[in-house]
């Protein structure tokens, strides 16, 4: 769109600050996907900023009648960073390796529905399924499905993932100084960008530097000083000072995330729906959004974030629970807790959870619930949840579709990840009904039912939907917001 | 008698005690002539060491200072010298040997280093010459295998050896006056005898005057020409060695001599001076020895006796 | 009363990788003597020859001790803890340094009383009376009881230490250089005190010192030590008049007499005492002895009896 | 973490004369307070202790009173030190924070002193094999990077004030052990201790009545120097998010939470930081003065 | 001496051995495991099991421990669970950074503190003494993290003299080194002063004066060499403290050093990294102590091993 008046500076590196380093750039071996992977690897299927699927490395695909066979036609003349040609063998190898239990890849289960991959010819392959799997495109578009050069992977051995990462993406791994920065340089041969992008040829930015700056205040200072151009995942604490800075623009958009307060629903007093509803009424979400998140979040009414458009149940707000201290007290009294309750409130040890917990503590006190806050570092936190020691606890999930409800709330996931310990026949039935329908429309409907029921049962207290905010300095032109990972070859350039 | 090389008049040295200056050495006067050995005896705390340190002007600044008197060395008042001039005197024309051979040498430098340092400080010689001199000096003080010793550190030497080194260091510039503060007290009798012999020998060669501090009467008898007896910062008696032993006059001196067990007559009950030295600050007016004296009279309590001459001795007592 | 037979104290010096490694310092190397009731044995010798070690070993303070120590017929070195405690009542030790041998944090009265408590002697009043009595015995008075050690002079402290030793009614006291650190005038006071107490209480002393004139004055019998061995032992007069060992002679002539008219011979003995870690072979004194011969360097002399009370360990028969 | 100066004056501590006469208490106190830094130090400590005791009276607001609309207010009459990101009064939080610091200081010292005294005394008094074993243990403890070990322990136990105290005590006992052992080794050679053996006293009596009181001076000095270290360590661990749980107003936690607002609301860091430094300074000055008073050779 | 070093080195083995047990126990008794992090929050149980097996975490604890020790004897510190590459490499990269800061800080601290300490001692009770000692006290009363934040805010952010974050050039080093170095200098200066005061009282200093030496050589030759000994003896310990405390500095300045690595690894339960780096750091501290012993003998001829 921007037929520019501004000059493009290809030599200027784009510096992005991250709070932590990648563990490894071998995405087969981790689920901790670093943004760098997005630029180094291409997927068969590409997804635009509105979650629509487009051709990626596959220029087109076909589905058989019964939906059990998918045929993908690869683009020709695609080369890996090491110069070798992309073939269907590489694709097959990548997915097979992930699927192989020996590999112990965390993504193994995501490709479970794939029965077999058949290489038809160098540029054609078929994916055979056991049963219809409408989510296949989503899987194939995820970072986990980035296509690796088989030869390079085998050649690099142990050094793959730390020294080398060979894909077909618009950027190549130039240097990785552990703990300090990852430097990506432009892939000069790149010609196969997805059609939907503004620029699908060579990248316009010569180098991307991903700098690790764990300290939040340092990231801000660096941004203000102009040493860093983009800071992602802005936390509300960071907003205050940069909002006033004219050189910095903040892009905000919804994110497929949702923060909630949960509790073990199989234990006293949470097994009483009245108590659960009381908790829902007790929380002043507006206050939390305004002050803890400084406006950079939205109130969550239901169990899915509205960004998931069709899957999101529109009636959430109407059916949900409004802030009403009196009602909460009343309900507690009815449940037999008129004299108040003393509970633990657990959260993960990261800045916002702590603050949120403190505010919740104050709000819950209003309805007579006294809480002790206990913060955990992440490993201990999951462990505690697995062991079932939780009382009240704060969580946030991020997922791009309604499968997440199955994941957290169906009884086959008990006790973990079903950490609210919700074992309910009706929920199970509803979810199963929604999952096993052939069409998207029916699925959406089914999930609406699930959401409605969950709201009624007050299984969680949904609290907020954080915005995804990205601070971008003015040197970065034509920046486009993307809730998951911005595409820097989508016409973005440095001034 | 010869012209004295050191003449001390009315030396008073005081120490700070709660903001007050209390004299530890009070109006002390005496002189030493060339080649003479003057022994200072007296009880612990009587001010012997302080007198010696005053001559060297080594009273620690923060602890006390010389508050009066003159210390005339060869016609020059040491107390009036500039620091620089005083340094030129120290170790060169007046030198000192301390009591504790274990601690007077710097543990981290070799014997040779410490000896040569003194030589090069005061004499315009090269390193090599200094080394030769040091070696020669070690030979003089009868140290076996001296060349080897030069390379050794103090802790590698026994107490007697170290004291020899200290003496060598003191004598290496051929000083005109040697101040020795209990140089043998910490040593065994046998070593003490060796060291005393050595000092006597060296002295007779160089004509060095010696101010020798001790509380061992035997040592006094073996070395002294003149003896000064101190008590509580005061000289109570001063005369030549023979007189002191034959005809002691001050009751303190008499008591001191009588307190020593004699080898010849072991079975006799020992004499002892009753009581103990008054603590500094508790000194009453009158004679300082009054509380322990058997001859004490009213006069002793009222007025301190002056140091008067009596039969060739200077004595501070009303009773003679 | 006390009989010491072939007492040895070997300290292990330095640690090797293996437990049995390391050098042995033979501080005391096979000495024997005995002390009768009411007698005083003097022990003299140069610094480091093992005098204090002997004293300590006799009191059973050193676990390194070997040999026999018989106190009133009882074997001390093999005794059990409880037995030792009762014997402790009978044997006491007085140290050299009057400044270091009192606990600076205890009032004198408490320090004295504690001893009585430990040995369960009397009730509160009786103890108090006893403490006062002790103080009087050593020439101090009861005002001193509520003071701390640092408020006393060296001489007074030594008196207190003596009083503390006397508290348990000992029969035998080891005086380890108890007067060496004191001024002559104070020294004579303490010597007189010790002598008086010996008479009054019929005490037995082992008197360790290096000042021969003091030891001579004080002792009935004297043992001369050199490098962990007793080289000569005799009644004190006999020893002074008739020293047989060259080392005893050297020691004697090194004592300076307070008489300027005597021409004192200062050149008595050369060299210094060798390290007890590497003692010379044969007669240990041969390195410094002017009579030394080949034999002295090789053969260790046996202890000979000169007369009833006079023993010497030397190859020569000097008169 | 600044344990660095834990050891700052180890050499000095060792030099505090064990047989120095501190019996004359009045004299000692006089000497102590003739020193200006002792006066300043003890005044600071006194004020802090009083503040801690009377925190509810002094503080204008409860430490956990959240007033969201008033968040990040700069210092003013209502909020002397301003407010934090939840609108809480920083002044009140700092006032209550004194309690945390003191509790941590005392807690850590009490536990590590207990361990240290027992092990050190046994080691120094009995010597031999027991000594070798205990010293082996302290050697291991000394070769650990302490802060990291403390973090690991907290990770294992879960963050809380109690666990923080335990972790810090577990990493700092060895200092006491070493000191006390050293003191006991040298005391053991002293004649007055040998005298107690000659007088037939038992081990317990010798250790507790005769040796320990004489080792007290250096122990006290070490303790006064450990106190500020414990306070700083608590702040440092809270700074890393491993200390007291919210809304407990530990100074380190306040600073840690405030550092994200360093550009927007620097007062959140400044005031607790300043007070922390003053308290630590107070303890250091007092410790110095105490040591000087115990060892007058260093003064004059 | 050689004997001593060999003996000491041998004695390091049980110490390190004890340390591995302690660290191993602490880590494995901590709740949580690294699999969650690898697998992500959404992986099913079987994937967990696969990963566990792949990492050998399904074995009983003692087996895991002995495997670890076994590898150790072969000089292998293992492979990082999360980073999937040799621990030795990871530690190597990070250690260098911490070491660099630590060494410069130590040097800086010595260079600054010795003259200050000496001057304060010889000019005792003068303005210079009071000023430097007050400065030192303030220096050691400021917690490192606060001091670091202050330096960062003023010198890097406000004045822009130094870079804010990162690592690599000497400019990046200045602030962290200053933070550690000045704090350490405050401590050392006080030590130098008191050690100097102690030495100045000694008899051999009086002897030196009695020899007629100039004050300059009395202080700088005779006193300083003795006074420096107790400071040297703390070298090994310093090293330990600098490593131990590095996490704070590295957090404040966002430096990829070993402290930060280890803390991150503790939290992500990357056992091999924690075990490896604890071991290496402890070994370094022990070696530091050994070097101290050697230096001690160099400076103090009385010491014989
Ligand atoms: N540095 C000092 N500070 C304070 N007082 C001192 C100092 N040096 C000596 N005195 C005091 O001066 C007096 C005389 O001491 P001095 O050392 O001269 O005694 P002395 O006769 O040498 O005794 P000794 O035989 O014990 O060596 C003593 O009362 C002592 O307290
Ligand atoms: N506990 C010990 N461990 C090792 N060696 C010791 C021990 N006690 C004494 N020695 C050594 O034993 C030897 C004899 O010491 P001892 O104290 O008995 O000598 P001494 O005759 O009393 O000397 P002095 O006259 O100096 O008191 C000395 O070389 C001493 O270093
Ligand atoms: Mg003197
Ligand atoms: Mg002895
Ligand atoms: Ni905003």
């Amino acid at each position: 769109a921007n037929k520019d008046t501004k000059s493009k500076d290809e030599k200027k590196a784009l510096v992005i600050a991250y709070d932590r380093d990648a563990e490894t750039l071998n995405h087969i071996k981790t689920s901790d996907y670093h943004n760098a992977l997005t630029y180094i690897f291409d997927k068969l299927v590409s997804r635009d900023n509105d979650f629509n699927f487009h051709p990626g490395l596959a220029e087109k695909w076909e589905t058989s009648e019964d939906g059990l066979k998918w045929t993908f036609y690869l683009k020709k003349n695609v080369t890996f960073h090491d110069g070798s040609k992309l073939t269907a063998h590489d694709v097959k190898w990548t997915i097979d390796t992930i699927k192989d239990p020996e590999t112990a890849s965390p993504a193994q289960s995501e490709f479970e529905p794939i029965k077999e991959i058949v290489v038809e010819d160098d540029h054609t392959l078929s994916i055979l399924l056991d049963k219809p799997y409408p989510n296949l495109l989503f899987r194939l578009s995820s970072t986990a499905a980035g296509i690796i050069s088989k030869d390079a992977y085998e050649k690099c051995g142990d050094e793959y993932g730390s020294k080398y990462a060979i894909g077909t993406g618009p950027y190549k791994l130039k240097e990785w100084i552990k703990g300090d920065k990852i430097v990506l340089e432009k892939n000069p041969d790149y010609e196969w960008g997805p059609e939907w992008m503004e620029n699908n040829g060579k990248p316009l930015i010569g180098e991307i530097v991903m700098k690790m700056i764990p300290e939040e205040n340092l990231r801000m200072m660096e941004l203000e000083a102009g040493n860093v151009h983009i800071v992602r995942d802005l936390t509300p604490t960071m907003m205050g000072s940069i909002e006033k800075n004219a050189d910095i623009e903040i892009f905000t958009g919804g994110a497929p995330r949702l923060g909630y307060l949960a509790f073990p629903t199989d234990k006293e007093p949470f097994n009483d729906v009245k108590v659960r509803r009381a908790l829902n009424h007790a929380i002043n979400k507006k206050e939390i959004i305004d002050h803890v998140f400084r406006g950079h979040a939205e109130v969550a009414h239901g169990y899915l974030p509205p960004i998931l458009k069709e899957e999101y149940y529109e009636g959430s707000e109407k059916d949900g629970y409004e802030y009403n201290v009196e009602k909460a007290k009343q309900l507690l009294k009815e449940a037999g807790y008129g004299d108040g309750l003393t509970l633990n409130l657990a959260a993960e040890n990261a800045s916002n959870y702590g603050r949120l917990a403190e505010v919740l503590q104050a709000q819950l006190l209003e309805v007579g619930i006294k809480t002790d806050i206990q913060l955990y570092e992440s490993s201990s936190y999951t462990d505690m949840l697995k062991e079932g020691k939780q009382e009240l606890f704060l969580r946030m999930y991020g997922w791009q579709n309604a499968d997440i409800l199955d994941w957290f709330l169906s009884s086959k996931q008990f006790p973990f990840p079903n950490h609210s310990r919700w074992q309910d026949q009706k929920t199970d039935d509803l979810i199963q009904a929604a999952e096993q329908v052939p069409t998207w429309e029916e699925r959406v409907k089914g999930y609406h039912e699930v959401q409605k029921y969950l709201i009624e049962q007050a299984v969680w207290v949904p609290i907020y939907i954080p915005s995804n905010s990205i601070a971008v300095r003015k040197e970065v032109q034509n920046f486009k917001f993307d809730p998951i990972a911005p595409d820097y070859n989508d016409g973005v350039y440095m001034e | 008698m010869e012209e004295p090389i050191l003449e001390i008049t009315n030396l008073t040295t005081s120490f700070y005690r709660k903001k007050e200056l209390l004299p530890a050495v009070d109006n002390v006067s005496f002189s030493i002539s060339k080649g003479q050995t003057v022994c200072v005896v007296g009880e612990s705390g009587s001010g012997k060491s302080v007198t010696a340190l005053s001559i060297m002007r080594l009273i620690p600044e923060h602890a006390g200072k010389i508050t009066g008197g003159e210390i005339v060395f060869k016609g020059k008042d040491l107390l009036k010298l500039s620091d620089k001039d005083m340094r030129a005197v120290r170790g060169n024309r007046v030198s000192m040997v301390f009591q504790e051979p274990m601690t007077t040498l710097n543990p981290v430098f070799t014997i040779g280093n410490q000896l040569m340092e003194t030589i090069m400080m005061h004499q315009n010689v090269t390193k090599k010459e200094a080394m030769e001199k040091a070696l020669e000096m070690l030979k003089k003080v009868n140290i076996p295998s001296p060349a080897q010793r030069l390379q050794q550190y103090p802790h590698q030497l026994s107490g007697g050896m170290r004291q020899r080194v200290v003496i060598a260091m003191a004598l290496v510039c051929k000083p005109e006056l040697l101040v020795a503060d209990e140089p043998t007290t910490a040593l065994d009798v046998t070593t003490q005898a060796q060291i005393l012999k050595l000092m006597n020998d060296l002295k007779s060669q160089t004509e060095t005057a010696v101010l020798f501090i001790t509380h061992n009467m035997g040592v006094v008898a073996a070395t002294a020409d003149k003896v000064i007896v101190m008590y509580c910062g005061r000289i109570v008696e001063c005369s030549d060695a023979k007189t002191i032993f034959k005809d002691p006059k001050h009751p303190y001196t008499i008591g001191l001599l009588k307190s020593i067990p004699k080898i010849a007559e072991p079975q006799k009950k020992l004499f002892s001076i009753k009581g103990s030295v008054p603590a500094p600050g508790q000194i009453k007016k009158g004679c300082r020895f009054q509380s322990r004296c058997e001859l004490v009279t009213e006069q002793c309590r009222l007025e301190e006796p002056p140091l008067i001459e009596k039969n060739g001795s200077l004595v501070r007592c009303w009773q003679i | 009363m006390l009989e010491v037979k072939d007492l040895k104290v070997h300290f292990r010096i330095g640690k090797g990788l293996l437990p049995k490694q390391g050098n042995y310092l033979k501080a005391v190397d096979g000495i024997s003597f005995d002390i009768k009731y009411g007698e005083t044995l003097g022990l003299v010798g140069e610094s480091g020859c093992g005098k204090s070690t002997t004293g300590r070993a006799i009191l059973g303070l050193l676990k390194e001790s070997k040999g026999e120590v018989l106190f009133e017929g009882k074997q001390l070195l093999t005794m059990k803890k409880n037995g030792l405690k009762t014997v402790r009542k009978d044997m006491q030790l007085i140290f050299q340094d009057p400044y270091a041998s009192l606990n600076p944090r205890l009032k004198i009265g408490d320090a004295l009383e504690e001893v009585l408590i430990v040995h369960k002697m009397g009730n509160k009043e009786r103890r108090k009376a006893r403490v006062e009595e002790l103080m009087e015995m050593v020439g101090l008075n009861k005002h001193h009881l509520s003071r701390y050690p640092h408020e006393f002079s060296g001489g007074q402290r030594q008196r207190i230490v003596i009083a503390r030793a006397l508290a348990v009614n000992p029969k035998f006291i080891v005086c380890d250089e108890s007067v060496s650190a004191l001024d002559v005038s104070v020294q004579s006071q303490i010597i007189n005190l010790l002598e008086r107490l010996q008479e009054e209480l019929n005490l037995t002393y082992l008197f360790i010192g290096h000042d021969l004139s003091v030891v001579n004055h004080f002792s009935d019998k004297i043992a001369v030590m050199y490098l962990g061995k007793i080289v000569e032992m005799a009644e004190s007069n006999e020893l002074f008049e008739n020293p047989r060992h060259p080392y005893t002679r050297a020691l004697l002539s090194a004592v300076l007499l307070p008489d300027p008219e005597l021409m004192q011979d200062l050149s008595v003995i050369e060299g210094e005492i060798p390290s007890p870690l590497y003692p010379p072979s044969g007669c240990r004194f041969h390195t410094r002895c002017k009579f030394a011969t080949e034999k002295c360097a090789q053969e260790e002399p046996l202890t000979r009896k000169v007369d009833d009370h006079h023993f010497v360990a030397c190859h020569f028969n000097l008169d | 973490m600044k344990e660095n100066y834990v050891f700052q004056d180890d050499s000095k501590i060792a030099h505090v004369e064990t047989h120095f006469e501190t019996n004359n208490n009045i004299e000692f106190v006089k000497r102590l307070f003739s020193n200006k830094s002792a006066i300043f130090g003890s005044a600071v400590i006194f004020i802090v202790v009083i503040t801690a005791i009377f925190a509810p009276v002094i503080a204008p607001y409860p430490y956990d009173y959240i007033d969201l609309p008033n968040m990040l207010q700069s210092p003013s009459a209502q909020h002397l030190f301003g407010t934090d990101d939840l609108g809480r009064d920083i002044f009140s939080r700092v006032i209550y924070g004194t309690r945390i610091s003191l509790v941590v200081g005392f807690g850590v010292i009490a536990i590590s002193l207990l361990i240290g005294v027992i092990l050190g005394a046994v080691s120094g008094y009995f010597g031999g094999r027991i000594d070798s074993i205990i010293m082996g243990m302290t050697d291991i403890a000394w070769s650990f990077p302490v802060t990291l070990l403390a973090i690991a322990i907290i990770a294992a136990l879960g963050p809380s004030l109690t666990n923080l105290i335990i972790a810090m005590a577990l990493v700092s006992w060895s200092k006491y052990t070493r000191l006390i052992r050293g003191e006991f080794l040298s005391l053991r050679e002293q004649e007055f201790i040998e005298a107690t053996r000659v007088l037939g006293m038992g081990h317990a009596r010798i250790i507790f009545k005769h040796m320990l009181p004489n080792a007290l001076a250096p122990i006290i000095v070490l303790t006064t120097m450990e106190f500020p270290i414990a306070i700083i360590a608590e702040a440092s661990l809270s700074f890393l998010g491993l200390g007291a749980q919210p809304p407990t107003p530990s100074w380190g936690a306040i600073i840690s939470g405030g550092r994200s607002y360093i550009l927007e609301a620097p007062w959140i860091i400044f005031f607790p930081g300043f007070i922390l430094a003053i308290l630590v300074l107070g303890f250091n000055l007092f410790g110095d003065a105490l040591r000087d008073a115990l060892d007058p050779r260093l003064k004059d | 001496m050689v004997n001593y070093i060999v003996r000491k080195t041998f004695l390091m083995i049980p110490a390190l051995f004890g340390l591995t047990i302690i660290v191993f126990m602490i880590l494995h008794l901590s709740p949580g495991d690294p699999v969650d992090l690898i697998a992500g929050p959404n992986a099913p149980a079987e994937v967990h099991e696969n990963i566990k097996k792949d990492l050998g975490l399904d074995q009983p604890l003692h087996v895991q421990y002995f495997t670890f020790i076994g590898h150790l004897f072969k000089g292998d510190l293992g492979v990082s669970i999360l980073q999937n590459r040799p621990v030795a490499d990871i530690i190597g990269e990070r250690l260098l950074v911490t070491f660099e800061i630590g060494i410069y800080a130590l040097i800086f601290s010595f260079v600054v503190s010795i003259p200050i300490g000496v001057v304060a001692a010889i000019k005792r009770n003068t303005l210079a003494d009071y000023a430097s000692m007050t400065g030192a006290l303030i220096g050691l009363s400021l917690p490192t993290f606060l001091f670091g934040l202050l330096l960062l805010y003023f010198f890097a952010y406000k004045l822009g003299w130094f870079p804010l974050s990162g690592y690599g050039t000497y400019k990046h080093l200045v602030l962290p080194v200053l933070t550690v170095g000045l704090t350490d200098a405050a401590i050392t200066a006080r030590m130098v002063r008191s050690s100097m005061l102690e030495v100045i009282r000694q008899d051999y200093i009086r002897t030196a004066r009695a020899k007629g030496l100039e004050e300059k050589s009395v202080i700088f030759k005779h006193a300083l060499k003795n006074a420096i000994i107790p400071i040297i003896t703390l070298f090994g310990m310093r090293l330990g403290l600098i490593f131990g405390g590095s996490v704070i500095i590295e957090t404040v300045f966002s430096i990829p050093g070993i402290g930060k690595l280890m803390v991150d690894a503790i939290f992500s339960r990357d056992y091999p990294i924690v075990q490896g780096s604890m071991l290496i750091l402890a070994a370094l501290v022990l070696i530091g102590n050994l070097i101290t012993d050697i230096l001690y003998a160099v400076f103090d001829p009385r010491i014989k091993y």
Side-chain angles (χ1 to χ4, degrees), chain C residues 288-302:
Chain C
R288 299 166 80 188
C289 181
K290 49 187 171 190
F291 304 105
T293 62
E294 200 57 18
K295 185 178 172 198
C296 295
Q298 277 154 16
E299 214 175 293
E300 200 176 325
L302 297 172

Side-chain angles (χ1 to χ4, degrees), chain B residues 188, chain C residues 11-13 25-28 45-54 56 62 64 96 176-177 208 210 276, chain D residues 189:
Chain B
D188 274 320
Chain C
F11 295 110
R12 216 178 93 206
I13 298 294
L25 186 150
K26 300 177 178 170
V28 174
E46 276 171 284
S47 182
C49 68
K51 307 184 293 291
S52 305
T53 307
T54 308
R56 272 163 216 205
L62 295 172
E64 291 92 344
Q96 160 172 18
D176 189 356
E177 315 229 12
I208 298 171
H210 59 241
Chain D
E189 302 300 317

Side-chain angles (χ1 to χ4, degrees), chain C residues 121-187:
Chain C
M121 292 160 92
N123 58 17
K124 202 161 182 196
E125 273 149 44
R126 293 256 306 278
R127 287 200 300 260
K128 208 173 157 223
R130 172 76 176 142
V131 167
E132 280 170 21
E133 184 194 350
L134 285 168
M135 289 295 272
E136 232 160 82
M137 237 189 250
V138 296
L140 294 169
N141 57 44
K142 58 182 176 189
H143 306 302
H144 292 132
L145 285 175
S146 58
R147 296 201 193 155
Y148 287 98
H150 73 276
E151 296 172 70
F152 294 92
S153 71
Q156 285 172 317
R157 284 187 190 210
Q158 204 58 297
R159 285 167 196 267
I160 294 163
V161 174
I162 293 171
R164 184 178 61 186
L166 292 177
V168 293
N169 286 322
K171 296 176 189 157
F172 174 67
I173 299 182
V174 176
C175 304
D176 189 356
E177 315 229 12
S178 305
V179 296
S180 309
L182 304 171
D183 271 322
V184 212
S185 58
V186 185
Q187 180 177 310

Side-chain angles (χ1 to χ4, degrees), chain A residues 404-415:
Chain A
I404 196 71
L405 296 177
D406 170 24
W407 180 246
F408 281 128
L409 293 159
S410 75
S411 47
K412 65 174 190 279
Q413 303 291 7
F414 179 87

Side-chain angles (χ1 to χ4, degrees), chain A residues 212-277:
Chain A
M212 317 311 156
I213 308 177
E215 281 293 280
E216 212 169 59
N217 54 343
L218 275 179
R219 288 203 294 279
M220 288 185 304
M221 290 189 207
E222 290 280 36
L223 182 69
E224 291 211 38
N227 302 325
V228 159
H229 303 112
I230 294 178
V231 177
R232 296 168 35 78
D233 293 325
L234 290 181
T235 59
T237 49
M238 301 163 83
M239 302 290 187
S241 55
I242 50 175
E243 268 178 348
K244 297 179 203 113
N245 193 325
D247 292 342
I248 299 167
E249 193 179 345
I250 299 182
F251 290 81
T252 300
R257 283 187 261 175
L258 184 132
Y260 55 95
L261 176 71
F263 24 77
T265 49
D266 59 342
K267 291 187 194 156
E268 292 261 1
F270 311 106
N271 51 4
D272 186 340
V273 71
K274 288 193 178 115
V275 174
R276 302 200 297 263
R277 287 183 180 150

Side-chain angles (χ1 to χ4, degrees), chain C residues 182-194:
Chain C
L182 304 171
D183 271 322
V184 212
S185 58
V186 185
Q187 180 177 310
S188 61
Q189 290 172 354
I190 299 292
I191 290 175
N192 286 342
L193 172 67
L194 285 172

Side-chain angles (χ1 to χ4, degrees), chain B residues 48-49 99 181-182:
Chain B
K48 306 183 296 289
S49 300
Q99 169 174 2
D181 188 359
E182 314 208 21

